[in-house]
Amino acid sequence: MFQIIGIVMLFGLVFGSYIISGGKFGVILHALPHEMMAIGGAGVAAFLISNSIPTIKSSLSGLGKAFAGPKWKKQDYKDLLSLLFQLTKTMKTKGVIALESHIEKPAESTIFQKYPKVLKDHFATDFICDTLRMMTMNLEDPHQIEDAMEKQLEKHHHEALNAPHALQNLADALPALGIVAAVLGVIKTMGSITEPPEVLGGMIGGALVGTFLGVFLAYGLVGPIAARLQSIVNEDASYYKIIRSVLVAHLHGNAAQISVEIGRGDVPSPAQPSFLEMEETLSNMPAEAG
């Protein structure tokens, strides 16, 4: 919502100030199609040249994510903590054998099925199951487990940041591409140097529209969208850090509820459930879930 308001303000204030100061909008409208063709076309071409297909796809989907906001909401964090509570409690009270059926086929697990959004996230599900699977194979050194999990998180986060980095690179390139378009306009103007001053003035003004558009798109639209997307990716990464914190705390011998409380500390503040909220949620779970 605030992103849409920001875009409306951006166009309204920039072009409104131009019109109020006596600027002629016709000059911009006349030059806009071919200047946008040069700048936008070159920007898209450079974007395609510099990025892989997965990065291009994630960048396009990231545009929607920049307006939609973080993927995980408060209830999602509560669900994840509840799931981890049930898994760690099952492992502690009933042993690894009772856990195997849940981690080998999570889609058929009575525990995982209660939290469909977690189950739908393949990385989260695999991250939980693979880590618990290592524990069932008698790899119980918390430091080794934590190191392995940290490497997985770094890899996943690095790949998730490809999209905002690609958009930021595009934003960095747009001012220069605007200059390219402006230079082409100047070349065109110099080829018509015998024309009267009023004609040359219009041509020079049209050429400068290229510089304006490059800077405007870079710092007004693409750059802020890239920054917003990076912020969302960083916030969503907290979701997976909770998994690491809870499972490592469990390996250190903590009770399931203590492990969950440690993981709750990784939840971003705006979405963080309180201690009492989590205590009430865990207390109301059916006895057989543990």
Side-chain angles (χ1 to χ4, degrees), residues 171-206:
D172 293 339
L174 283 173
L177 294 176
I179 293 173
V180 170
V183 169
L184 289 175
V186 172
I187 293 173
K188 175 185 172 184
T189 302
M190 295 305 293
S192 305
I193 196 68
T194 57
E195 296 291 335
E198 58 270 19
V199 174
L200 292 177
M203 295 177 71
I204 294 173

Side-chain angles (χ1 to χ4, degrees), residues 52-81:
S52 64
I53 293 178
T55 300
I56 293 170
K57 290 181 178 179
S58 61
S59 298
L60 294 176
S61 64
L63 294 176
K65 187 183 293 185
F67 290 91
K71 176 181 179 180
W72 308 110
K73 312 302 180 186
K74 185 174 183 177
Q75 185 59 47
D76 299 322
Y77 287 105
K78 290 175 69 175
D79 288 345
L80 178 63
L81 291 168

Side-chain angles (χ1 to χ4, degrees), residues 123-144:
F123 178 76
T125 303
D126 291 343
F127 192 44
I128 293 170
C129 293
D130 290 347
T131 304
L132 290 174
R133 196 174 289 113
M134 283 192 293
M135 295 181 187
T136 63
M137 296 167 61
N138 295 323
L139 179 57
E140 298 180 348
D141 184 345
H143 301 293
Q144 282 185 291

Side-chain angles (χ1 to χ4, degrees), residues 158-179:
H158 176 77
E159 292 171 351
L161 285 173
N162 284 340
H165 287 167
L167 290 174
Q168 185 58 54
N169 288 337
L170 175 60
D172 293 339
L174 283 173
L177 294 176
I179 293 173

Side-chain angles (χ1 to χ4, degrees), residues 85 88-89 92 246 249-250 253-262:
F85 172 80
T88 53
K89 188 175 181 182
K92 185 173 285 290
V246 173
H250 168 74
N254 293 293
Q257 195 153 356
I258 298 300
S259 299
V260 165
E261 179 57 24
I262 292 172

Side-chain angles (χ1 to χ4, degrees), residues 16 65 93 102 145 161 163 222 262 275:
K65 187 183 293 185
T93 58
H102 297 289
I145 295 285
L161 285 173
V222 182
I262 292 172
F275 176 85

Side-chain angles (χ1 to χ4, degrees), residues 233-279:
V233 169
N234 288 334
E235 182 172 333
D236 284 345
S238 302
Y239 189 82
Y240 308 110
K241 292 179 181 178
I242 292 169
I243 299 172
R244 177 201 59 193
S245 296
V246 173
L247 296 184
V248 170
H250 168 74
L251 273 178
H252 279 289
N254 293 293
Q257 195 153 356
I258 298 300
S259 299
V260 165
E261 179 57 24
I262 292 172
R264 190 179 69 86
D266 284 329
V267 179
S269 297
Q272 187 179 51
S274 67
F275 176 85
L276 293 177
E277 284 179 304
M278 280 311 306
E279 185 177 43

